[in-house]
């Protein structure tokens, strides 16, 4: 198994709020596109910049995992956009 990673976007929020948003993003992604064997999403934090990025992690040799990651990258902008819209409505 050779792992590959694809960025699914970064939270615009910083610190704990960014982590919470990344966790919510993963939840939303899972509801739209359930995780499969060989593919999932992970949160990567940068402590210096206090930012969070969500990445698809998948088995490069598994065509289903690759297809899942491609689909995840495709739907990610819409999920981030929906989350941003909801946040603005609450403010």
């Amino acid at each position: 198994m050779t792992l590959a990673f694809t960025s699914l976007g970064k939270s615009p929020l910083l610190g704990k709020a960014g982590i919470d948003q990344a966790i919510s993003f993963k939840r939303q992604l899972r509801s739209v596109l359930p995780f499969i064997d060989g593919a999932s999403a992970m949160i990567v934090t940068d402590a210096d910049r206090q930012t969070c990025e969500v990445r698809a992690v998948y088995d490069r040799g598994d065509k289903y995992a690759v297809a899942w990651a491609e689909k995840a990258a495709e739907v990610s902008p819409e999920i981030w956009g929906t989350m941003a819209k909801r946040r603005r409505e609450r403010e």
Side-chain angles (χ1 to χ4, degrees), residues 5-10 25 53-56 58 69 72-74 76 80:
F5 303 90
T6 299
S7 178
L8 301 179
K10 292 184 178 182
F25 172 87
E53 177 182 11
V54 180
R55 293 182 187 167
Y58 57 97
E74 184 180 307
S76 290
W80 284 115

Side-chain angles (χ1 to χ4, degrees), residues 4-9 25 29 32-36 38-41 55-79:
F5 303 90
T6 299
S7 178
L8 301 179
F25 172 87
L29 177 64
V32 173
L33 189 64
F35 296 162
I36 64 169
S40 187
R55 293 182 187 167
V57 56
Y58 57 97
D59 179 358
R60 180 181 311 204
D62 181 335
K63 67 180 180 181
Y64 298 108
V66 171
W68 182 91
E70 290 170 352
K71 183 67 175 174
E74 184 180 307
V75 300
S76 290
E78 184 177 343
I79 295 171

